[in-house]
Amino acid sequence: MRIVSVIGARPQFIKAAVVSRALRQRHSEVLVHTGQHYDANMSAIFFDELDIPSPDVNLEVGSGPHGEQTGAMLAGIEGVLLREHPAWALVYGDTNSTLAGALAAAKLGIPVAHVEAGLRSFNRAMPEEINRVVADHLSTLLFCPSQTAVNNLAAEGITRGVHLVGDVMADALAFAAERAQRRSTVLARLGIAGQGYLLATVHRAENTDDPSRLGQILGALDALEEPVLFPVHPRTRKAIEALGYRPAPQVRLLDPVGYLDMVRLEQSARMILTDSGGVQKEAYWLGVPCVTLRNETEWVETVQAGWNVLVGADASRIVRTVGSFVRPALRPVVYGEGEAAARVCMHLSLDQDSIAGGSRSNGSG
Ligand code: UD1
Ligand code: UDP
């Protein structure tokens, strides 16, 4: 069976690493990199560290406004799909690369399988929310990380083709956790080994594109009394420079780091401050308290368990929460235990058989 997988942004490389490894044991995969992320430390480093096969096609679409970027991806992906005639188009998460992959395939009548389906923030101002909703409604197979995601789809009338498989990022972390401890030298490089610190990441449009929210977040980091390590996403780097921000001495702005270094930094952090989806989950899995710099989250189970607190972009609330966080006694298993990629592969094979047998034309509804 031939599968065209479409990826393009940092978290998709991490998700695809584990699924690709499982897929290629039985099937032929054509890996398409849209080129949405392209800096070496936003793209190539993940392929190298996680043994992801080199992309068969790189569309080199690059950055741009949503319509322009997504449109260029659509045209490029369509060409690949017409050439390859895959049994499935496999898309991940909620980026513009996800949207373009799902839309290009659906228009050609190629069934779409969506990994990380059913997530909702119920905030349509987020570009990711638009991408997810459209991708889910175009998908034949919907791989959900949580029961909440399954329920969200049911509320939109999508019940067919929905599978609760767990989160492929849990598989990725299981693969990387021990490797990171063994191989990553980041703590020594930063001279922080054995010291307490906070780890921060910020990249959501709602925070970077709003100088007032970004100013509040940076003000909070400056007001914290512990060292803060802050690997800065290129989008955020631009926004920070535009603000003319000069960090307080305990705040260290770093370039984006590779996955193994990131996992190592997460493992040793006293607490994590982030607006990233993936980082919220990794904090939970690693047992590190998380303060989420957003007003809502898709990963509600981490909040319900008491390990994640939503603080928005209010400087005093951020500082107060970092100072008063009480670690819960329990950390229930959420989003599976590292078997999601194998389940994705199993369903791709089984459901292809049923499509070939004519029992299904579309999984939605
Ligand atoms: C994208 C996704 C977001 C995801 C994030 C993961 C969309 C709409 N957003 O956001 O859901 O959480 O990736 O990191 O798809 N840039 C560079 N070098 C790069 C990549 C980006 O300099 O290699 C800069 C460019 O100025 C670009 C900006 O970052 O305009 C934003 O990049 P883009 O891919 O459009 O969105 P992200 O904010 O990365
Ligand atoms: N990550 C990384 N290096 C960094 C920042 C993040 O490897 O400098 C990893 C992080 O551990 C997680 C993923 O990137 O696995 C999350 O991606 P991001 O925060 O860019 O996007 P989101 O998950 O919010 O879509």
Side-chain angles (χ1 to χ4, degrees):
M1 187 164 82
R2 183 178 304 132
I3 295 157
V4 167
S5 302
V6 178
I7 57 179
R10 173 166 69 186
Q12 293 167 331
F13 308 140
I14 295 161
K15 291 167 199 174
V18 285
V19 178
S20 234
R21 200 171 302 127
L23 266 186
R24 286 174 188 235
Q25 290 175 11
R26 292 186 52 195
H27 304 296
S28 130
E29 184 184 40
V30 177
L31 195 58
V32 180
H33 187 328
T34 62
Q36 178 170 351
H37 287 174
Y38 44 84
D39 290 347
N41 56 17
M42 294 294 289
S43 176
I45 192 168
F46 297 95
F47 286 80
D48 294 344
E49 275 188 353
L50 302 177
D51 304 326
I52 310 171
S54 296
D56 298 283
V57 181
N58 190 328
L59 300 174
E60 295 181 358
V61 160
S63 305
H66 286 271
E68 192 180 299
Q69 186 187 53
T70 311
M73 290 177 189
L74 259 179
I77 295 166
E78 183 174 63
V80 178
L81 293 172
L82 285 170
R83 218 168 41 239
E84 300 290 344
H85 298 294
W88 292 106
L90 184 60
V91 298
Y92 294 86
D94 52 21
T95 72
N96 288 348
S97 298
T98 318
L99 174 65
L103 192 50
K107 289 273 187 175
L108 293 171
I110 294 167
V112 177
H114 184 199
V115 174
E116 213 176 77
L119 274 297
R120 296 290 182 270
S121 63
F122 304 101
N123 174 4
R124 290 268 172 119
M126 284 180 81
E128 293 84 358
E129 186 78 350
I130 311 282
N131 294 343
R132 296 176 188 128
V133 169
V134 176
D136 283 341
H137 282 262
L138 295 176
S139 292
T140 296
L141 275 182
L142 301 102
F143 296 119
C144 295
S146 63
Q147 185 59 44
T148 304
V150 173
N151 298 347
N152 290 339
L153 291 174
E156 293 174 21
I158 305 175
T159 53
R160 238 177 134 188
V162 175
H163 298 286
L164 176 56
V165 296
D167 195 320
V168 297
M169 288 192 93
D171 301 26
L173 188 63
F175 173 83
E178 189 262 335
R179 276 190 183 205
Q181 269 174 340
R182 223 171 351 104
R183 290 198 199 165
S184 168
T185 56
V186 69
L187 299 178
R189 292 199 319 271
L190 294 174
I192 196 102
Q195 291 177 45
Y197 62 86
L198 307 170
L199 177 66
T201 81
V202 179
H203 77 279
R204 291 256 94 81
E206 72 204 37
N207 287 331
T208 58
D209 296 4
D210 178 341
S212 148
R213 283 183 75 97
L214 187 59
Q216 289 276 323
I217 291 170
L218 297 173
L221 300 185
D222 282 347
L224 293 167
E225 282 167 8
E226 295 162 84
V228 179
L229 302 182
F230 182 3
V232 185
H233 189 290
R235 171 188 204 110
T236 316
R237 177 72 68 177
K238 285 188 184 159
I240 283 178
E241 281 168 7
L243 280 184
Y245 170 65
R246 294 275 170 274
Q250 88 284 5
V251 178
R252 290 174 69 176
L253 305 187
L254 313 173
D255 286 334
V257 296
Y259 184 58
L260 294 183
D261 282 351
M262 186 63 184
V263 170
R264 192 74 198 92
L265 289 174
E266 290 172 340
Q267 286 167 331
S268 295
R270 187 182 76 75
M271 192 176 288
I272 293 175
L273 297 89
T274 191
D275 60 9
S276 157
V279 175
Q280 286 175 66
K281 290 181 286 179
E282 286 161 359
Y284 184 84
W285 289 319
L286 294 170
V288 179
C290 185
V291 170
T292 292
L293 309 166
R294 290 180 51 195
N295 301 328
E296 72 280 312
T297 181
E298 300 76 19
W299 307 102
V300 291
E301 293 79 3
T302 61
V303 175
Q304 286 156 1
W307 284 87
N308 188 5
V309 181
L310 297 173
V311 294
D314 175 329
S316 58
R317 193 150 171 231
I318 297 169
V319 174
R320 221 175 32 246
T321 308
V322 169
S324 63
F325 198 103
V326 179
R327 290 168 71 94
L330 298 176
R331 194 159 47 85
V333 172
V334 294
Y335 318 132
E337 290 183 281
E339 68 299 325
R343 290 187 179 158
V344 166
C345 294
M346 181 188 76
H347 287 297
L348 285 169
S349 308
L350 291 177
D351 286 52
Q352 177 54 28
D353 294 344
S354 74
I355 285 177
S359 65
R360 174 210 308 263
S361 59
N362 191 314
S364 302

